[in-house]
Amino acid sequence: IRTLTDEDRNRFLDTLRTLYDLRSEDGQAKYGSRYNDMYYFVKKHLHGAAAKDCDHWHDNAGIVTHHLAFTLELEQALQAVDPTISVPYWEYTKDAILYESGGWEDSVIFL
């Protein structure tokens, strides 16, 4: 995500914002059946990954199966709005190194 041009990053974030602002029913009427809103994705992610005693999506093989399928479904919802969008890779561990002394809020990721 750090290597996206400003135009590409803005287009991605604007499209992602649509998923926050437009509920699934209205989005599916406008963009088709692959559209789902962010409430759908948050609920789905919490259901599969938020149990304190067992995280089915991030532990062991779950990352390869469940989480990748979840990311694909998110990407397809974004592409329903803008077919040129793909979910960019975010090397999130890099923020811990780049901003270990603080100031992570200044990262391009959070601007």
Side-chain angles (χ1 to χ4, degrees), residues 1-102:
I1 196 165
R2 288 180 179 82
T3 60
L4 293 174
T5 64
D6 289 343
E7 179 183 346
D8 286 343
R9 186 180 308 104
N10 289 336
R11 193 170 63 245
F12 171 74
L13 294 174
D14 289 346
T15 305
L16 189 63
R17 183 76 216 185
T18 300
L19 273 61
Y20 279 93
D21 294 340
L22 188 62
R23 297 307 302 253
S24 288
E25 184 177 331
D26 295 330
Q28 288 174 3
K30 185 172 184 175
Y31 297 113
S33 62
R34 290 194 178 214
Y35 181 93
N36 284 296
D37 63 28
M38 194 52 64
Y39 300 99
Y40 167 86
F41 289 107
V42 169
K43 182 179 177 181
K44 188 171 190 171
H45 192 268
L46 288 174
H47 179 73
K52 289 182 181 181
D53 60 338
C54 185
D55 182 342
H56 296 284
W57 286 18
H58 300 110
D59 294 340
N60 301 314
I63 196 73
V64 177
T65 54
H66 292 96
H67 212 288
L68 290 179
F70 175 81
T71 303
L72 174 62
E73 189 176 15
L74 172 64
E75 184 171 75
Q76 290 171 336
L78 292 165
Q79 290 172 342
V81 177
D82 181 346
T84 68
I85 296 293
S86 63
V87 174
Y89 181 72
W90 175 18
E91 174 50 86
Y92 63 90
T93 61
K94 194 170 186 177
D95 292 302
I97 295 166
L98 293 173
Y99 302 99
E100 66 182 331
S101 61

